[in-house]
Amino acid sequence: MPFDTLEIRISLQKLLIGLTLVIVPLSFVGLYLASQAEASLEETLGTHFRSIAQSEGMATSQFINDRVLDVAALASNPGVADAITAAQQSRKGLDDSALKARVGKIEGTWETPQVDPLVKEMLRSPASQVLRRHREADPRILKILVADETGATVAATDKPLHYVQPNEVYWRAVYGEGRGGTYVSEIRYDDQTNANYLQIGVPVLEEGTRRFIGAVNALVDVSSLLSRFQRAEVGETARIMLLQDDGTVISAPNMDPSLRLKSDEYATVRDALATPQGRQAGYAAASMRGGDRIVGFADTGLKKAYPNLGWLVLASQDEREALIPLLSLSRFALLMVVFALLMLTLLTVYFFLHRRQRFEDINVQAAEEPPRSGAAAA
């Protein structure tokens, strides 16, 4: 028994209409979904860079707080308190004018050999030995000195530049009008050690009364902190930077504080920080001469406790490099859409040409047919 043959016949016109109703909407839907995917990926990358900036910001804040606590531990060391107490005892019986004259004489001859015996005695004191042992235990400590409540140096790891400290910038913050306070400087550079450092000053408070009786001042190497931001770039364009709150680069790949360069991304970040939405988002797209960049940012939170440390962390990458996986997919989708529309166009052209040709064949056939017999008889 022969098998029946199933044939489906459909006109070319109906096929063309059906393909048009299917391909055109799907093409526009595909383009829309590709554009939405790009925006979604940009948001995901921005959130990722914000997380990186927040992580580095917390690590930076932790580093600074740990260094301050290290110096504060020295301020509570019994040997430091004993050195200050001994200095107070040596001043008994001296009125203010005599004490001022004594301190002034030492300060006036501080750079001369005349004070060498005093300096040697101070550097050999038990308190100075405590300071040196602390420096040996923590190589990040460059120099430490201890001053009493009058500002006179009573112990140090090295001979300080000045005998009297109240003229120094840090002293006003540490003295705090007798209440005591913590001081952290901006980043500086030490020529002797070739290191970037912070000056950290903390008060020495009398046990029980919490009265200000002196101060500990330390120079702390922060090269290990800055090196976190000087690592090789991830990919060709990604980088993490530490900035001051005016946009000056503190540390970044191939940059250091001495260059005093401004970050190109900072203008966009500053504008974002000026709005609640921008602060909440934590990232922005920065338009730059070399192309757009996705920038995540975070405040280290140090400025409230240490006014000189209004630091920001930025993590950014060129937008084209960041979105390159999706861009390749979008280009492929666009190519497929163009190809489908092209095939549809060719099919449409073929349909109209074929239809025209059929009409011409019908007209030719009609012209070639002989007249009917009835018409001939007439």
Side-chain angles (χ1 to χ4, degrees):
M1 178 179 178
F3 291 98
D4 294 333
T5 303
L6 178 63
E7 293 184 2
I8 299 177
R9 296 178 178 273
I10 184 171
S11 68
L12 187 59
Q13 182 178 7
K14 291 180 179 180
L15 177 61
L16 181 60
I17 293 173
L19 290 176
T20 302
L21 293 176
V22 173
I23 293 177
V24 173
L26 287 179
S27 298
F28 284 106
V29 169
L31 290 175
Y32 172 76
L33 292 178
S35 64
Q36 290 297 106
E38 183 175 344
S40 178
L41 181 58
E42 182 175 322
E43 181 180 355
T44 301
L45 289 170
T47 303
H48 175 63
F49 286 131
R50 179 191 64 191
S51 299
I52 293 175
Q54 289 174 340
S55 176
E56 292 297 329
M58 287 189 291
T60 299
S61 179
Q62 186 66 47
F63 179 92
I64 297 299
N65 288 325
D66 286 348
R67 303 293 76 74
V68 172
L69 290 175
D70 288 344
V71 180
L74 273 175
S76 60
N77 187 287
V80 171
D82 291 344
I84 293 175
T85 301
Q88 291 173 338
Q89 293 293 330
S90 69
R91 295 196 303 268
K92 279 190 174 181
L94 297 176
D95 57 22
D96 290 344
S97 59
L99 180 60
K100 186 176 181 179
R102 174 186 172 185
V103 171
K105 180 180 178 181
I106 296 175
E107 179 66 24
T109 58
W110 190 247
E111 297 297 331
T112 67
Q114 185 177 344
V115 297
D116 286 350
L118 175 63
V119 172
K120 289 180 180 179
E121 181 182 358
M122 179 183 68
L123 296 180
R124 291 174 180 172
S125 69
S128 294
Q129 293 177 22
V130 169
L131 301 183
R132 280 194 292 273
R133 283 197 297 269
H134 188 83
R135 181 173 64 179
E136 291 170 0
D138 186 353
R140 287 172 296 206
I141 301 294
L142 302 177
K143 298 177 182 178
I144 317 172
L145 70 82
V146 177
D148 63 17
E149 61 184 329
T150 67
T153 303
V154 298
T157 55
D158 307 90
K159 180 182 177 180
L161 293 177
H162 299 281
Y163 174 68
V164 181
Q165 301 303 310
N167 294 328
E168 300 294 326
V169 174
Y170 83 91
W171 183 263
R172 291 190 293 273
V174 174
Y175 180 68
E177 298 181 353
R179 298 186 301 271
T182 300
Y183 172 83
V184 181
S185 72
E186 69 283 357
I187 291 182
R188 300 170 181 170
Y189 184 77
D190 181 42
D191 293 325
Q192 293 182 351
T193 59
N194 295 320
N196 292 294
Y197 71 92
L198 291 173
Q199 184 179 21
I200 300 177
V202 297
V204 179
L205 304 177
E206 187 176 47
E207 187 176 358
T209 65
R210 307 298 292 172
R211 181 178 66 87
F212 177 85
I213 60 173
V216 175
N217 182 50
L219 306 186
V220 181
D221 184 0
V222 293
S223 298
S224 59
L225 171 64
L226 301 186
S227 66
R228 293 178 63 95
F229 303 92
Q230 294 169 348
R231 292 172 296 191
E233 296 179 347
V234 181
E236 295 183 1
T237 62
R239 60 175 176 257
I240 305 174
M241 298 183 290
L242 181 64
L243 307 183
Q244 293 181 3
D245 53 7
D246 63 353
T248 302
V249 177
I250 298 173
S251 186
N254 303 317
M255 297 185 193
D256 61 64
S258 63
L259 297 176
R260 305 293 297 176
L261 298 176
K262 297 287 185 178
S263 166
D264 294 332
E265 297 96 329
Y266 178 72
T268 300
V269 172
R270 180 191 58 207
D271 294 340
L273 288 171
T275 64
Q277 296 85 353
R279 284 183 173 273
Q280 186 176 8
Y283 73 91
S287 297
M288 300 165 56
R289 287 172 295 180
D292 294 346
R293 294 183 69 86
I294 301 175
V295 186
F297 53 86
D299 193 335
T300 60
L302 291 168
K303 189 170 184 177
K304 184 176 181 180
Y306 317 117
N308 290 316
L309 304 186
W311 292 354
L312 299 172
V313 176
L314 269 59
S316 69
Q317 187 175 22
D318 183 84
E319 190 174 55
R320 288 171 296 183
E321 183 182 46
L323 300 177
I324 193 167
L326 181 62
L327 291 177
S328 300
L329 182 61
S330 297
R331 291 191 184 103
F332 177 76
L334 180 60
L335 180 62
M336 291 298 98
V337 169
V338 171
F339 178 75
L341 292 176
L342 177 62
M343 294 303 296
L344 184 61
T345 302
L346 292 175
L347 185 60
T348 303
V349 171
Y350 172 78
F351 169 76
F352 282 105
L353 290 176
H354 178 74
R355 183 179 182 184
R356 180 180 176 184
Q357 182 65 37
R358 191 177 69 175
F359 287 157
E360 291 177 352
D361 291 344
I362 292 173
N363 291 335
V364 171
Q365 183 179 2
E368 292 178 348
E369 285 182 357
R372 294 181 179 179
S373 58

